[in-house]
Amino acid sequence: MEIAVIWIPADIEPSEPAVARCLSHLRRHSYRFAGIMRASWETVEQMMIDGEVDVVVIANFDHLPPDRSPRIELASSPGVETDEDRTVPYPQLY
């Protein structure tokens, strides 16, 4: 079973709607819940690099820092205009 944390940026208030959305996602995927993080993105990223966590669940794509690295970018997908660039999260990061 994969270990997952919920990451809510510190500036997101109230956090309860985001937490509820993420908890629902965790239940649907049967992840082992390791906690809610309000730390910097760099802290979360280091936990992934160190293998302490397998999945980071976020409530909204806009919560991710646009300058994070490494990242995956999707040139196009169904329902997205082909001229529109969209940065996508790490694999299994929702």
Side-chain angles (χ1 to χ4, degrees):
M1 183 179 296
E2 293 173 302
I3 299 169
V5 295
I6 292 173
W7 181 64
I8 310 290
D11 63 334
I12 303 301
E13 290 295 340
S15 63
E16 290 82 5
V19 170
R21 185 173 183 186
C22 292
L23 286 171
S24 177
H25 181 84
L26 288 171
R27 283 189 293 274
R28 284 193 309 272
H29 292 277
S30 300
Y31 293 139
R32 193 170 74 199
F33 179 48
I36 298 170
M37 297 190 65
R38 302 287 304 235
S40 69
W41 175 253
E42 292 78 18
T43 300
V44 176
E45 188 176 44
Q46 190 60 52
M47 288 180 70
M48 289 187 290
I49 291 167
D50 294 343
E52 297 173 29
V53 64
D54 301 307
V55 180
V56 176
V57 178
I58 60 171
N60 187 312
F61 184 80
D62 294 334
H63 293 177
L64 289 173
D67 59 346
R68 71 193 181 284
S69 183
R71 64 182 184 264
I72 298 169
E73 295 186 1
L74 179 62
S76 66
S77 64
V80 176
E81 296 295 322
T82 55
D83 291 340
E84 179 184 337
D85 287 337
R86 181 174 173 126
T87 302
V88 297
Y90 292 110
Q92 299 181 349
L93 185 66
Y94 303 95

